[in-house]
Amino acid sequence: MIKLIASDLDGTLLLNGAQRVDVSMFNTIRELTKKGYVFAAASGRHIVSLYRLFEPVCEDIAYISENGGLVKYKGTTISKTIMDNDLVMDIIKDVYEIPNCELLVSGENSAYIKPKTEEYLYRMTKIVNYKTTVVKDFSDIPEEIVKVSVCDLSGIKHSKDYLIKQWGDKCAATVSGALYLDFMAKGVSKGTGIESLQNYFGISPKDCVAFGDNYNDIPMLDKVYYSYVMEQADDKVKEHGKYRCSRVEETIKNKFL
């Protein structure tokens, strides 16, 4: 019996660069909740950004945020895995010197930036609607760090090989979009995030559905029985889905409501 439905956002629930959840999806989530399902937003995004995106139903859903670094449900922190601060500072120092690369450093309370360009400042504060704090120096961040994101404005394909080679043995590293690569504490992923929810609710992978489209979704897709991969996803990602999907909400309505 299905009890948990988790969906990635960018490229999955949010298509064609959309930065807002369609109003109809809120009604679908309300229907799921009435029927006893838990809906989980699973994303590399910051937790406050997710609260804002799902504001009309934000108290009713679960969150796998920061690619599994922070998992919450109805105000309860189910899991939170912090990064080693010295490692964070080493990564920041390295990345900040790479042309076209910007940084987003996430704590639970805010995401922190020291933008090199107006383009990146505008993107983070106006487009993706983050709770963003601009710092003079990343060492000024007043809380524990759960994720470091690299945004390569020329495309993450240009820097990901170097970044993974340089830091991938020291922490978890995953491509999370056309522009982004994320670093989390070693072992952290959306897979560990959905495992935290499975343990919290006492449910098995056979009771779970997940939707995804990118490489950071693979660990989550592998932890559920009903794994849906978007039609436009890379073939290597599709290998991890039992089913294909063109629209998340339509699939939920047709299969689970």
Side-chain angles (χ1 to χ4, degrees):
M1 179 180 175
I2 304 302
K3 297 180 180 178
L4 174 65
I5 298 176
S7 179
D8 169 56
L9 297 188
D10 298 289
T12 303
L13 185 61
L14 301 178
L15 298 174
N16 303 315
Q19 295 295 326
R20 296 289 184 274
V21 177
D22 193 276
V23 172
S24 64
M25 186 62 195
F26 299 140
N27 293 327
T28 298
I29 290 171
R30 292 185 184 104
E31 289 184 53
L32 289 172
T33 302
K34 285 180 182 178
K35 289 181 178 290
Y37 299 111
V38 174
F39 179 82
S43 176
R45 294 190 183 213
H46 189 266
I47 188 71
V48 178
S49 172
L50 297 182
Y51 290 155
R52 291 173 175 176
L53 277 171
F54 289 91
E55 185 175 3
V57 293
C58 66
E59 299 296 331
D60 301 320
I61 70 174
Y63 300 91
I64 301 170
S65 67
E66 311 291 9
N67 280 322
L70 179 64
V71 180
K72 301 191 73 139
Y73 179 65
K74 293 191 173 182
T76 298
T77 298
I78 295 172
S79 67
K80 178 180 178 180
T81 310
I82 63 172
M83 298 182 70
D84 177 79
N85 193 66
D86 290 338
L87 176 60
V88 168
M89 291 303 138
D90 288 343
I91 293 171
I92 288 170
K93 183 178 179 181
D94 181 38
V95 173
Y96 203 75
E97 299 303 319
I98 302 174
N100 299 311
C101 286
E102 298 270 9
L103 286 152
L104 181 78
V105 182
S106 296
E108 183 171 353
N109 298 310
S110 186
Y112 302 87
I113 59 173
K114 181 184 175 184
K116 300 179 190 177
T117 63
E118 287 295 323
E119 176 187 359
Y120 185 65
L121 177 63
Y122 182 82
R123 177 181 182 81
M124 299 315 301
T125 58
K126 303 299 183 182
I127 297 178
V128 299
N129 197 29
Y130 264 48
K131 180 182 178 182
T132 308
T133 302
V134 178
V135 293
K136 292 183 178 180
D137 193 282
F138 285 108
S139 62
D140 296 334
I141 294 173
E143 59 176 316
E144 298 169 324
I145 303 305
V146 294
K147 192 189 72 179
V148 176
S149 293
V150 181
C151 177
D152 189 331
L153 295 169
S154 68
I156 198 63
K157 63 183 179 181
H158 296 121
S159 52
K160 69 179 179 65
D161 290 344
Y162 166 79
L163 291 167
I164 292 173
K165 181 179 179 180
Q166 187 77 356
W167 302 106
D169 63 333
K170 300 176 179 65
C171 54
T174 184
V175 172
S176 59
L179 302 181
Y180 292 95
L181 185 141
D182 294 340
F183 293 113
M184 295 81 62
K186 210 169 184 63
V188 170
S189 69
K190 288 186 183 181
T192 60
I194 203 162
E195 277 188 315
S196 295
L197 289 177
Q198 289 167 345
N199 292 333
Y200 181 79
F201 291 112
I203 57 179
S204 75
K206 289 186 177 181
D207 300 322
C208 301
V209 182
F211 296 87
D213 78 303
N214 217 321
Y215 290 90
N216 63 329
D217 298 315
I218 289 174
M220 176 174 70
L221 295 166
D222 288 346
K223 293 293 183 181
V224 305
Y225 184 82
Y226 297 95
S227 51
Y228 286 82
V229 177
M230 303 303 288
E231 295 285 1
Q232 76 276 10
D234 288 350
D235 288 341
K236 288 184 179 180
V237 180
K238 287 181 178 177
E239 292 174 4
H240 296 265
K242 290 186 177 71
Y243 309 98
R244 300 289 176 267
C245 174
S246 57
R247 288 192 169 273
V248 172
E249 185 180 4
E250 182 179 292
T251 302
I252 290 174
K253 287 180 176 179
N254 290 339
K255 300 291 184 180
F256 306 110
L257 285 177

